[in-house]
Amino acid sequence: IFFVAALYGASASIILVTSLSLTAELIGEHSSSAAFVYGAMSFTDKVSNGVAVVLIQKFTPCDKCIEEAFKWYYRDVLFYVVGGAVLIGALTAVALRFMKNSKDIAVPVPAVHQDENGEPTSRTPLLSDRHDSYS
């Protein structure tokens, strides 16, 4: 049982580090919005964990009704939910790997931002500022 506990702790740490590194990659060079992004990710994490706990408790079988179903319920929940999350995460990681190398996804933005007249500006362009001339 100690091996399983160590494996569970190690995998939880790996998931946390991966999540933080993906968040840092999402922020990229836009460090002015880093606090908001980390806060939004933390809030989403807390809400999703709360919803998961409520759903698990709501669907817990009655211990007087079906004793066998109650006996294996939490084991099955742990297996299928964690296994499903690992599967979704792995598929997402593979998809991100292929999308990162795709030229169709990334919109090249000039290193020096220019206004509509071609003059250099210090203002970071917004998504609404992007034109078809970038592609």
Side-chain angles (χ1 to χ4, degrees):
I1 186 109
F2 294 114
F3 176 73
V4 174
L7 188 63
Y8 190 75
S11 54
S13 296
I14 290 170
I15 289 173
L16 177 65
V17 170
T18 304
S19 172
L20 291 174
S21 66
L22 285 173
T23 304
E25 188 174 330
L26 175 69
I27 293 168
E29 296 178 9
H30 306 289
S31 61
S32 62
S33 63
F36 174 76
V37 173
Y38 276 109
M41 297 294 273
S42 177
F43 178 72
T44 304
D45 176 48
K46 303 299 185 242
V47 170
S48 63
N49 281 323
V51 168
V53 167
V54 168
L55 288 175
I56 289 169
Q57 288 180 346
K58 180 175 174 61
F59 293 113
T60 302
C62 166
D63 58 343
K64 295 177 184 173
C65 304
I66 307 169
E67 190 170 319
E68 188 65 27
F70 181 74
K71 181 179 178 182
W72 299 108
Y73 176 72
Y74 291 106
R75 182 202 65 162
D76 290 344
V77 166
L78 188 63
F79 175 78
Y80 289 115
V81 172
V82 173
V86 166
L87 194 61
I88 290 171
L91 291 174
T92 303
V94 169
L96 285 175
R97 178 72 174 177
F98 287 114
M99 289 184 353
K100 188 172 184 176
N101 295 331
S102 173
K103 293 183 180 183
D104 298 332
I105 304 279
V107 177
V109 178
V112 176
H113 304 298
Q114 300 173 351
D115 61 9
E116 55 275 348
N117 299 327
E119 297 294 320
T121 180
S122 61
R123 186 176 76 82
T124 303
L126 303 172
L127 288 176
S128 59
D129 294 339
R130 293 187 177 177
H131 303 288
D132 291 332
S133 62
Y134 286 141
S135 52

